[in-house]
């Protein structure tokens, strides 16, 4: 989000370690998602981060039952939600490669430590295990090294 030009980023999650990582990646505020807060309590906490307003854009990054309606509660009237949970198969075109390079350069310029996103490292002969780790949701980003 920071590389896309957003500056006031709030991370909402039930896992404190992921919130800490979001802060390292550029989130200004964190909201711990807990059942005892209740949905309204979390919305109000997010609202205080924006000076009484809600968000212009709420990307949903985790699949939840009723996820889009939950994300919608954090968006202001006229704001948008973006469902980033859909796994889409794409071929790596020259344009996609170029866009990826651009994001990596922006992250480097903004000093965003992308290496912190790598949760698992595998050798090339462990590529099947690496694929399973990603598909099962156990790892966020897996690196396969040819060494």
């Amino acid at each position: 989000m920071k590389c896309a030009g957003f500056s006031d980023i709030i991370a909402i999650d039930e896992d404190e370690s992921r919130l800490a990582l979001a802060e390292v990646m550029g989130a200004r505020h964190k909201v711990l998602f807990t059942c005892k807060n209740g949905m309204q309590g979390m919305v109000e906490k997010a609202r205080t981060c924006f000076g009484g307003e809600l968000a212009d854009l709420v990307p949903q990054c985790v699949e939840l039952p009723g996820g889009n309606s939950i994300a919608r509660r954090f968006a202001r009237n006229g704001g948008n939600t973006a469902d980033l949970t859909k796994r889409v198969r794409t071929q790596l075109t020259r344009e996609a490669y170029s866009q990826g390079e651009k994001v990596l350069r922006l992250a480097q310029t903004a000093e965003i430590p992308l290496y912190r996103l790598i949760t698992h490292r595998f050798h090339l002969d462990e590529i099947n295990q690496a694929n399973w780790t990603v598909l099962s949701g156990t790892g966020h980003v897996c690196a396969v090294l040819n060494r």
Side-chain angles (χ1 to χ4, degrees), residues 88-131:
V88 179
R89 289 187 155 206
T90 59
Q91 288 184 319
L92 188 57
T93 63
R94 183 173 292 181
E95 181 183 342
Y97 184 81
S98 176
Q99 289 172 345
E101 248 186 346
K102 182 180 175 183
V103 168
L104 291 175
R105 273 192 241 106
L106 287 170
Q108 185 177 22
T109 302
E111 297 181 2
I112 298 172
L114 292 179
Y115 69 91
R116 299 274 309 266
L117 294 174
I118 299 174
T119 57
H120 295 75
R121 289 172 173 78
F122 296 94
H123 291 286
L124 189 55
D125 60 342
E126 301 171 309
I127 196 159
N128 288 336
Q129 186 180 353
N131 285 331

Side-chain angles (χ1 to χ4, degrees), residues 14-74:
E14 62 186 0
D15 184 323
E16 289 187 30
S17 65
R18 287 194 298 245
L19 286 174
L21 182 60
E23 190 173 41
V24 169
M25 294 295 154
R28 277 196 190 169
H29 310 281
K30 307 180 290 187
V31 176
L32 183 62
F33 181 95
T34 62
C35 293
K36 72 178 186 180
N37 291 23
M39 182 58 67
Q40 192 56 38
M42 286 184 294
V43 170
E44 288 308 313
K45 192 166 184 181
R47 187 185 297 272
T48 61
C49 295
F50 284 123
E53 297 293 325
L54 289 174
D56 294 324
L57 174 66
V58 180
Q60 177 189 338
C61 305
V62 178
E63 288 187 36
L64 295 170
N68 194 41
S69 64
I70 291 172
R72 189 83 218 123
R73 293 180 186 200
F74 292 94

